[in-house]
């Protein structure tokens, strides 16, 4: 840059400074006038018949809104668990085996059974094939242990009861008859066939297996690759993501028709109208708290499990009552697919098994 150019730049800068400083002296700055400003004392006059202005939020139909009084800690409302349809898989729970009539090929039936029971082991191979139509599993443990339970088992070498399954398949033209037998293995390795009429925990596990197989078959039929196949029959019993069961009643239903439907069902009785409850026995045969019952004690193994009555006592709870002597609340609910009948069996030790038994009677 030449000397002449530098002189011109410096001269222009000085001229700009002089010009700006002169303008600031000529123009008044009003930026701080608000600090000394005063409000106008002119009072606004409203027209006759108008209400005074008030700073209040206007709520439509406020006089019709009920007063809300909080009764406890607020709970975030959650959407209801929707019930989903299942494929109709007839199941018969016998004394020592469970029979499923799976509407699928033998290969698919094997996959459904192995996928469900393999989830309890975590191993890649749980079943060993003895023949083309028979599978035998490794010992499985259905009940999950806590950290302290696992520590106790490792110290005492006393493991929970494990089960070995023998599954037989009999293929037919439209279905595969699947028979599952359970053998219990105690901590000492002694094997004993499971009596499903007495071991309700194992019977409830078979109901869960039935529900899993029915849901998976429904998913298979929805695949595009299976759209051309013959559609399977849907079950009247549906399930949701929590594993609860309900009876599908269709698009139209009302409380009066549901009550009539239950009364006309074989083996069921309505024992209470408010709240609505049903049972497998009439109301006068239900077990209730406060009933006079016999206090019995066993005589020992030598007496072949015989009992002797010592005296009479009042029943304090229903813990020792059979599920057939209880009363269960039922409810008619409406969802997107239609109306459902639900039975609350949460008071029993195995709600899934109890609700399946009751709903199976209604689905006949």
């Amino acid at each position: 840059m030449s000397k002449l150019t530098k002189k011109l730049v410096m001269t222009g800068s000085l001229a700009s400074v002089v010009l700006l400083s002169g303008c600031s002296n000529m123009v008044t700055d009003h930026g701080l006038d608000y600090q000394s400003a005063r409000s106008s004392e002119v009072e606004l006059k409203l027209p006759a018949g108008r209400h005074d202005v008030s700073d209040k939020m206007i709520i439509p139909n406020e006089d019709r809104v009920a007063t809300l009084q909080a009764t406890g800690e607020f709970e975030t409302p959650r959407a209801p668990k929707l019930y989903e349809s299942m494929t109709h898989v007839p199941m018969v729970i016998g004394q020592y085996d469970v029979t499923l009539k799976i509407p699928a090929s033998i290969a698919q039936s094997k996959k459904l059974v192995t996928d469900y029971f393999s989830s309890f082991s975590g191993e890649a191979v749980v079943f060993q094939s003895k023949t083309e139509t028979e599978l035998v599993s490794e010992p499985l443990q259905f009940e999950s242990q806590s950290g302290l339970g696992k520590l106790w088992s490792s110290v005492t070498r006393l493991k929970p009861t494990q089960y070995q399954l023998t599954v037989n398949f009999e293929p037919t033209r439209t279905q595969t008859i699947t028979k599952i037998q359970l053998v219990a293995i105690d901590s000492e390795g002694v094997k004993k066939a499971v009596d499903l009429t007495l071991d309700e925990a194992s019977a409830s596990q078979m109901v869960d297996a039935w529900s899993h197989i029915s849901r998976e078959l429904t998913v298979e039929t929805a695949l595009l690759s299976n759209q051309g196949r013959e559609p399977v029959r849907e079950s009247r019993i549906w399930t949701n993501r929590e594993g609860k069961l309900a009876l599908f009643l269709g698009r139209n239903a009302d409380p009066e028709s549901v009550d009539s439907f239950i009364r006309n069902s074989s083996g069921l009785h309505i024992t209470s109208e408010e709240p609505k409850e049903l049972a497998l026995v009439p109301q006068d045969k239900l077990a209730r708290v406060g009933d006079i019952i016999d206090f019995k004690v066993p005589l020992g193994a030598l007496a072949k499990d015989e009992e002797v009555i010592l005296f009479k006592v009042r029943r304090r709870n229903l813990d020792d009552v059979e599920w057939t002597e209880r009363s269960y609340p039922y409810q008619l609910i409406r969802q997107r697919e239609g109306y459902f009948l639900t039975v609350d069996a949460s008071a029993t030790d195995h709600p899934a098994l109890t609700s399946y038994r009751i709903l199976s009677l209604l689905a006949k």
Side-chain angles (χ1 to χ4, degrees):
M1 181 180 293
S2 63
K3 293 182 178 181
L4 180 60
T5 304
K6 292 182 179 180
K7 290 181 180 181
L8 292 175
V9 171
M10 293 179 61
T11 303
S13 300
L14 290 174
S16 300
V17 171
V18 173
L19 180 62
L20 291 175
S21 60
C23 290
S24 62
N25 293 329
M26 297 175 60
V27 180
T28 304
D29 183 10
H30 295 280
L32 301 178
D33 288 355
Y34 72 92
Q35 296 182 354
S36 59
R38 295 182 179 181
S39 61
S40 174
E41 296 182 357
V42 179
E43 182 180 357
L44 297 177
K45 295 182 178 180
L46 298 177
R50 295 293 301 271
H51 298 285
D52 295 337
V53 177
S54 61
D55 186 9
K56 181 181 178 182
M57 182 174 62
I58 298 177
I59 303 176
N61 301 320
E62 183 179 6
D63 55 336
R64 300 174 59 184
V65 179
T67 303
L68 176 62
Q69 296 180 353
T71 57
E73 185 178 354
F74 176 76
E75 295 183 1
T76 305
R78 299 183 181 274
K81 302 293 183 180
L82 297 179
Y83 287 97
E84 301 174 353
S85 61
M86 298 192 299
T87 301
H88 179 61
V89 179
M91 178 173 64
V92 177
I93 302 177
Q95 184 175 5
Y96 294 105
D97 56 41
V98 175
T99 302
L100 302 172
K101 295 182 179 180
I102 305 176
S105 63
I106 185 173
Q108 188 177 4
S109 300
K110 283 184 178 181
K111 183 178 184 302
L112 291 170
V113 173
T114 54
D115 286 350
Y116 173 76
F117 289 104
S118 297
S119 61
F120 296 97
S121 172
E123 301 292 338
V125 179
V126 176
F127 284 85
Q128 302 293 337
S129 178
K130 296 186 65 176
T131 64
E132 290 294 330
T133 59
E134 185 179 10
L135 295 176
V136 179
S137 74
E138 299 294 333
L140 302 175
Q141 181 179 317
F142 293 147
E143 298 180 1
S144 59
Q145 282 186 291
S146 61
L148 292 177
K150 293 179 180 178
L151 178 61
W152 176 258
S153 297
S154 62
V155 172
T156 61
R157 304 295 181 182
L158 299 175
K159 296 183 179 180
T161 302
Q162 293 183 316
Y163 298 90
Q164 187 176 38
L165 290 85
T166 300
V167 188
N168 292 277
F169 302 92
E170 181 184 344
T172 63
R173 188 179 63 86
T174 59
Q175 60 188 5
T176 301
I177 301 176
T178 305
K179 182 175 293 187
I180 304 175
Q181 295 176 316
L182 282 175
V183 174
I185 307 173
D186 60 15
S187 58
E188 298 179 355
V190 179
K191 296 183 178 181
K192 182 181 179 181
V194 176
D195 188 345
L196 297 175
T197 60
L198 301 177
D199 191 346
E200 291 197 341
S202 298
S204 181
Q205 197 69 59
M206 294 299 103
V207 171
D208 190 67
W210 163 82
S211 178
H212 170 82
I213 292 173
S214 301
R215 289 198 309 267
E216 290 299 314
L217 282 174
T218 304
V219 173
E220 287 289 333
T221 56
L223 298 178
L224 293 177
S225 58
N226 297 331
Q227 291 298 306
R229 299 184 182 180
E230 183 179 353
V232 295
R233 178 184 172 189
E234 288 188 358
S235 174
R236 293 192 62 188
I237 301 177
W238 291 33
T239 184
N240 62 9
R241 293 298 179 180
E242 295 180 341
K244 295 182 179 180
L245 303 177
L247 183 69
F248 179 61
L249 299 177
R251 293 287 183 178
N252 300 312
D254 56 81
E256 291 76 14
S257 63
V258 171
D259 293 346
S260 177
F261 170 66
I262 294 174
R263 290 189 178 95
N264 295 331
S265 300
S266 176
L268 291 176
H269 307 268
I270 294 180
T271 56
S272 175
E273 293 291 346
E274 188 63 37
K276 292 185 175 296
E277 295 183 356
L278 56 81
L280 275 75
V281 294
Q283 186 175 9
D284 56 346
K285 295 185 178 180
L286 288 176
R288 301 184 184 278
V289 176
D291 291 345
I292 304 299
I293 59 175
D294 298 330
F295 183 81
K296 301 178 182 179
V297 294
L299 295 179
L302 297 178
K304 297 181 180 181
D305 297 331
E306 293 182 1
E307 296 177 333
V308 60
I309 300 175
L310 294 183
F311 45 81
K312 301 283 188 179
V313 295
R314 287 187 178 273
R315 179 180 281 118
R316 301 179 60 182
N317 52 57
L318 301 178
D319 294 343
D320 59 337
V321 175
E322 295 289 338
W323 71 275
T324 55
E325 300 177 5
R326 290 175 176 264
S327 183
Y328 303 96
Y330 67 92
Q331 184 181 8
L332 176 66
I333 63 174
R334 180 184 179 183
Q335 292 188 355
R336 180 183 58 189
E337 299 295 335
Y339 289 87
F340 295 87
L341 176 64
T342 61
V343 178
D344 183 9
S346 58
T348 60
D349 294 333
H350 306 285
L353 176 62
T354 304
S355 60
Y356 168 78
R357 286 167 167 169
I358 297 174
L359 295 178
S360 296
L361 293 174
L362 291 169
K364 289 183 177 179

